[in-house]
Amino acid sequence: MSKPDSIAAVDVLAAGPTRNFVTLKITTEQGLVGWGDATLNGRELAVAAYLRDHLAPLLIGRDPARIEDTWQYLYRGAYWRRGPVTMTSIGAVDLALWDIKGKAAGLPVYQLLGGAVRDRILSYTHAKGWDIPQLLDSLDARLAQGFKAVRAQTGVPGLDIVYGVTREDAAYEPAGRGIAPVEETWDTDAYLRHAPKALEAARSHIGPEVALLHDAHHRLTPNEAARLGRSVEDLGLFWLEDVTPAENQEVLRTLRGRTTVPLAIGEVFNTIWECQSLITEQLIDYVRCCVTHAGGISHLRRIAALADVWQIKLGPHGPSDVSPVALAASLHLGLATPNFAIQEYMGYDPLVHEVFRHAWSYEDGHLHPGDAPGLGVEVDEELTARHPYEPAYLPVARRRDGSMTDW
């Protein structure tokens, strides 16, 4: 019997074009290379240090084929479990090991997960407008690109800055360069007066066949969330996302009894434990965990399996601040997971596509991971190094009285 392969080197790249990506590279003694995404927006260097200083030394000499054993070893071995830095770091290792396993087998990862249960994956993108006419123009542009599902966001009358929206007709970059986050002013009452009107105009404009989504970005109390939910119940939303912070999961019981709008929550969750009550009590309809922030393919599979028992679906987070490696992993999981419903896809700058050469593809509102061995993404390290890390942070928001919002 031939000697098992072993991990020979672990490298961390904290750089990338247009934004800060953290990319993990694991190389085996037999020369196989696996790539993982460890990007955690605004805390990139914390994850890079966790990987370099703590996990990399533990991986040298380990058998890369023992993915589950390595996952358990890294999760249990630190004593301090869970949390975004730990789980993103473990997730990056997990993705890289699945990449290696696929390359060793000569198969795409979705085949190793049991094979495809669908031919392609429905994706949604973002439409935005500072006012309603601009939003409708943005929706038209997204439909012209073939999307069958669109998230609609608008500005709020009386506010100068609103997360997720720009006054100009340009791509929105949520992470601003600088040593501290930008501070926005927020007005919940103004938002609750305007959002239903904007969504009603959007639905009337695009018709009933297009899936329409909306994100409240965690900023509502349970009563405010119920008010929003009731006001848009007749619009047939695909989902209403992050209507209230879900750390206190008791509040979802209150909300669930007051509106029938499908609820999506979980993009800031990192383990199955944050999702457990929401799933087993059927308090949400979609779990939004991101494959890299929730411990990789191995752990998101467990979340999906629990959700499937309770007829809840996956709609993973897929912003432009996780790399095409993470998107590839999410697509491989999605192709092989029965209760995978939809994948967020904001798109990337052309230079990002040059750095992360990928087999996954977009066509007519759907994504497919491709059939290249492993995850199907290779990274141009030289091109990446030309774009070093610069501090960048998502904005924070204060109410008009100066107090901080929940997010």
Side-chain angles (χ1 to χ4, degrees):
M1 186 172 65
S2 61
K3 180 182 177 182
D5 201 358
S6 62
I7 295 172
V10 180
D11 299 291
V12 182
L13 314 176
T18 73
R19 65 177 315 108
N20 296 314
F21 294 113
V22 179
T23 306
L24 179 69
K25 178 185 180 184
I26 295 180
T27 307
T28 75
E29 292 287 353
Q30 295 180 12
L32 294 175
V33 173
W35 296 101
D37 179 30
T39 307
L40 186 64
N41 199 325
R43 294 295 182 268
E44 296 91 350
L45 298 185
V47 180
Y50 194 107
L51 284 164
R52 288 195 186 105
D53 298 339
H54 301 292
L55 298 196
L58 303 178
L59 294 172
I60 302 301
R62 293 185 65 87
D63 182 351
R66 298 185 62 172
I67 298 175
E68 183 62 30
D69 182 62
T70 298
W71 196 98
Q72 296 293 337
Y73 174 71
L74 297 179
Y75 180 77
R76 299 173 189 277
Y79 182 75
W80 302 107
R81 302 180 186 181
R82 301 186 281 179
V85 173
T86 293
M87 296 307 292
T88 300
S89 300
I90 294 174
V93 173
D94 188 76
L95 265 56
L97 295 184
W98 277 107
D99 193 24
I100 289 170
K101 184 175 281 288
K103 290 172 178 175
L107 293 170
V109 166
Y110 77 83
Q111 293 286 15
L112 304 179
L113 300 176
V117 298
R118 55 178 53 84
D119 299 323
R120 54 187 183 165
I121 295 167
L122 179 65
S123 63
Y124 78 90
T125 194
H126 297 188
K128 60 179 179 58
W130 191 251
D131 54 27
I132 291 176
Q134 190 181 45
L135 171 62
L136 301 186
D137 288 342
S138 181
L139 285 166
D140 287 340
R142 294 308 191 185
L143 297 183
Q145 294 172 328
F147 284 97
K148 308 295 190 294
V150 186
R151 194 190 84 173
Q153 308 289 139
T154 67
V156 176
L159 300 183
D160 295 325
I161 307 173
V162 175
Y163 179 75
V165 185
T166 54
R167 290 180 180 272
E168 302 79 19
D169 184 18
Y172 179 72
E173 171 48 62
R177 300 287 180 178
I179 61 172
V182 170
E183 294 191 12
E184 302 176 355
T185 299
W186 178 249
D187 187 327
T188 298
D189 288 335
Y191 165 76
L192 289 174
R193 288 191 298 268
H194 180 69
K197 298 176 185 176
L199 292 171
E200 183 177 10
R203 173 56 79 201
S204 178
H205 186 72
I206 63 178
E209 300 299 326
V210 177
L212 183 63
L213 304 82
H214 179 70
D215 190 347
H217 293 120
H218 310 268
R219 290 179 177 171
L220 307 179
T221 66
N223 283 337
E224 291 164 348
R227 175 181 160 192
L228 176 61
R230 287 197 303 268
S231 69
V232 298
E233 280 184 354
D234 294 337
L235 300 182
L237 293 187
F238 187 92
W239 75 39
L240 192 56
E241 180 182 346
D242 287 337
V243 286
T244 189
E247 288 92 336
N248 179 5
Q249 300 191 4
E250 297 284 337
V251 304
L252 271 299
R253 296 193 184 103
T254 300
L255 179 59
R256 191 56 140 178
R258 296 185 180 181
T259 180
T260 60
V261 169
L263 300 175
I265 282 177
E267 70 180 55
V268 297
F269 290 172
N270 307 121
T271 70
I272 197 170
W273 308 111
E274 285 101 332
C275 306
Q276 183 181 9
S277 294
L278 298 181
I279 290 172
T280 59
E281 296 186 34
Q282 295 179 304
L283 301 180
I284 60 175
D285 301 275
Y286 297 91
V287 177
R288 295 275 290 129
C289 294
C290 179
V291 66
T292 188
H293 300 151
I297 290 172
S298 297
H299 194 62
L300 190 53
R301 286 182 82 191
R302 288 195 274 277
I303 295 173
L306 178 64
D308 197 25
V309 174
W310 298 95
Q311 296 177 294
I312 292 169
K313 297 180 180 180
L314 259 62
H317 191 45
S320 57
D321 57 6
V322 296
S323 85
V325 176
L327 182 61
S330 197
L331 296 179
H332 281 280
L333 179 66
L335 206 66
T337 300
N339 60 323
F340 194 105
I342 197 168
Q343 174 64 55
E344 182 178 17
Y345 178 52
M346 289 179 63
Y348 295 101
D349 185 276
L351 190 54
V352 176
H353 291 287
E354 289 185 37
V355 169
F356 297 92
R357 301 185 302 274
H358 53 79
W360 59 258
S361 60
Y362 165 81
E363 183 179 0
D364 194 29
H366 294 80
L367 291 158
H368 193 286
D371 290 315
L375 294 177
V377 183
E378 298 298 332
V379 181
D380 187 327
E381 297 178 69
E382 182 179 343
L383 186 53
T384 297
R386 297 178 196 169
H387 303 273
Y389 169 86
E390 297 179 52
Y393 297 95
L394 295 176
V396 296
R398 295 182 183 273
R399 301 177 184 88
R400 291 192 182 277
D401 66 0
S403 62
M404 299 292 296
T405 65
D406 288 303
W407 183 78

